[in-house]
């Protein structure tokens, strides 16, 4: 896609976000799949999750796209840029990901049920202090997470991209503004996906392997087509939704996750909620007692 084309699409998406009724309805969806046999990842059934598209308590979309910050050149006396300025312009090194299993389906809802791996996935937005506390809690117990970031969050908190990757976790695309992507035109949907992909590319050297639609558990055929056009080969959905966006108590959230999770599960959680930070250590301890290991989505599908 050319730069001019992206500019047109960004403008269309922003205008639509300001004028379209219901544009702030939110939810999660997406995914990557694996083998199609009984022990492998499940492809999505093709339905839109009504809860996520109608629940008014859901922690909704982000604001309009923020302009990318610019860093002025910092010349040294000899005319050469300083080390700090050079560091800001050096291309990032993309993370190394293991190849997925042959036959991985386009949209993954859950992984192999015969295994003991699970994927804890997080909507990436909100207070960076809460996000950092959540990452630290996971790292203390050796858990690897998958964070589906909202692009406008990266505009505000660009340091979080490297913080997530440096902790051994995985990043994916959860659209630029977290609007109801299923209700958009194809061009608007592609712009939402492409803008977040651009942020990921600039900050990490890659657009990431996974795309997850906003405001839906599963990707519609239109959204799938636009994700493919941007460069995504897989969508990551989920089979466990403990609804932490409603801010239950930490004990209740722990109960919801541990009562529903199984081998191969993909759990949908959210950064930016204190209850999730408070519940995560007990959730991880409970998974360990059940013999389940939290891994990244790519590890689940490898």
């Amino acid at each position: 896609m050319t730069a001019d084309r992206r500019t047109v699409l960004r403008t269309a998406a922003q205008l639509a976000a300001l004028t379209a009724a219901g544009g702030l309805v939110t939810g999660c969806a997406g995914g990557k799949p694996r083998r199609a046999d009984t022990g492998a990842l499940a492809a999505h059934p093709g339905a839109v999750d009504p809860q996520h598209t109608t629940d008014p308590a859901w922690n909704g979309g982000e604001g309009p796209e923020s302009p990318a910050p610019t860093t002025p050149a910092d010349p040294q006396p000899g005319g050469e840029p300083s080390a700090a300025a050079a560091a800001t312009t050096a291309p990032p090194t993309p993370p190394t990901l293991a190849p997925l299993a042959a036959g991985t389906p386009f949209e993954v809802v859950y992984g192999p049920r015969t295994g003991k791996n699970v994927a804890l996935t997080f909507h990436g937005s909100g207070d960076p202090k809460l996000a950092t506390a959540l990452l630290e809690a996971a790292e203390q117990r050796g858990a690897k997470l998958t964070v589906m970031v909202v692009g406008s969050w990266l505009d505000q908190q660009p340091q979080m991209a490297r913080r997530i990757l440096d902790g051994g976790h995985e990043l994916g695309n959860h659209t630029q503004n977290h609007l109801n992507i299923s209700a958009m035109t194809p061009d608007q949907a592609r712009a939402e996906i492409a803008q977040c992909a651009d942020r990921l590319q600039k900050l990490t050297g890659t657009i990431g392997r996974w795309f997850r639609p906003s405001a839906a558990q599963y990707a519609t055929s239109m959204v799938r087509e636009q994700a493919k056009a941007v460069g995504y080969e897989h969508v990551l959905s989920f089979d466990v939704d403990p609804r932490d966006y409603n801010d239950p108590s930490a004990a209740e959230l722990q109960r919801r996750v541990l009562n529903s999770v199984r081998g191969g599960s993909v759990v949908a959680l959210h950064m930016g909620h204190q209850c999730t930070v408070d519940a995560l250590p007990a959730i991880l301890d409970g998974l360990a007692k059940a013999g389940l290991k939290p891994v990244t989505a790519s590890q689940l599908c490898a």
Side-chain angles (χ1 to χ4, degrees), residues 37-38 54 74 76 81 91 136 145 177 185 192 198-199 204 210 241 243 248 265 268 302:
D37 56 50
T38 56
T54 60
D74 182 15
Q76 296 291 328
E136 290 174 349
L145 312 179
N177 295 298
T185 67
E192 275 290 302
D198 286 345
R199 273 58 172 178
T204 71
W210 304 100
D241 178 12
R243 306 183 305 283
S265 282

Side-chain angles (χ1 to χ4, degrees), residues 5 16-17 27 44 51 55 68 99 120 155 179 193-194 234 248 251 268 281 302:
R5 178 62 170 163
H44 81 91
Q51 174 186 326
D55 190 339
L120 301 181
D155 289 340
L179 305 174
I193 301 167
H234 297 281

Side-chain angles (χ1 to χ4, degrees), residues 13 23 43 51 57 70 74 78 120 126-127 134 151 159 173 177 179 181 202 212 233 236 245 259 288 296 300:
Q51 174 186 326
T70 57
D74 182 15
L120 301 181
D127 186 343
L134 190 150
Q159 77 284 357
N173 181 328
N177 295 298
L179 305 174
I181 195 170
K202 290 177 182 177
R212 173 173 286 175
E233 298 180 357
L236 183 63
Y245 49 81
N259 284 355
T296 67
L300 183 71

Side-chain angles (χ1 to χ4, degrees), residues 76-96:
Q76 296 291 328
E80 295 296 325
S82 68
T88 63
T89 58
T93 301
T96 301

Side-chain angles (χ1 to χ4, degrees), residues 66-251:
S66 302
T70 57
T71 302
D74 182 15
Q76 296 291 328
E80 295 296 325
S82 68
T88 63
T89 58
T93 301
T96 301
L97 298 175
L100 301 184
T104 296
F106 179 75
E107 185 162 6
V108 171
V109 180
Y110 56 83
R113 292 301 193 192
T114 55
K116 291 295 185 180
N117 288 340
V118 298
L120 301 181
T121 69
F122 291 81
H123 166 114
S125 68
D127 186 343
K129 292 181 180 178
L130 292 179
T132 300
L134 190 150
L135 294 170
E136 290 174 349
E139 290 156 10
Q140 288 170 3
R141 289 164 174 78
K144 303 303 181 184
L145 312 179
T146 301
V147 182
M148 309 303 295
V149 290
V150 176
S152 57
W153 187 58
L154 290 182
D155 289 340
Q156 299 164 4
Q157 308 294 338
Q159 77 284 357
M160 291 305 302
R162 285 308 325 175
R163 172 62 185 88
I164 291 165
L165 293 180
D166 290 346
H169 311 291
E170 188 169 14
L171 278 173
N173 181 328
H174 199 29
T175 75
Q176 176 65 18
N177 295 298
H178 204 264
L179 305 174
N180 184 359
I181 195 170
S182 302
M184 295 180 182
T185 67
D187 281 356
Q188 291 167 349
R190 188 184 303 185
E192 275 290 302
I193 301 167
Q195 288 175 43
C196 185
D198 286 345
R199 273 58 172 178
L200 287 167
Q201 182 72 48
K202 290 177 182 177
L203 292 171
T204 71
T206 174
I207 67 172
R209 173 175 275 168
W210 304 100
F211 169 69
R212 173 173 286 175
S214 50
Q217 182 175 1
Y218 308 112
T220 66
S221 58
M222 179 275 289
V223 171
R224 284 182 230 134
E225 289 173 3
Q226 302 316 310
K228 290 177 181 177
V230 174
Y232 290 96
E233 298 180 357
H234 297 281
V235 173
L236 183 63
S237 185
F238 50 87
D239 65 310
V240 177
D241 178 12
R243 306 183 305 283
D244 60 337
Y245 49 81
N246 284 332
D247 293 313
S249 68

Side-chain angles (χ1 to χ4, degrees), residues 18-30:
L18 292 173
T19 60
L24 289 178
V25 179
T26 54
C28 286

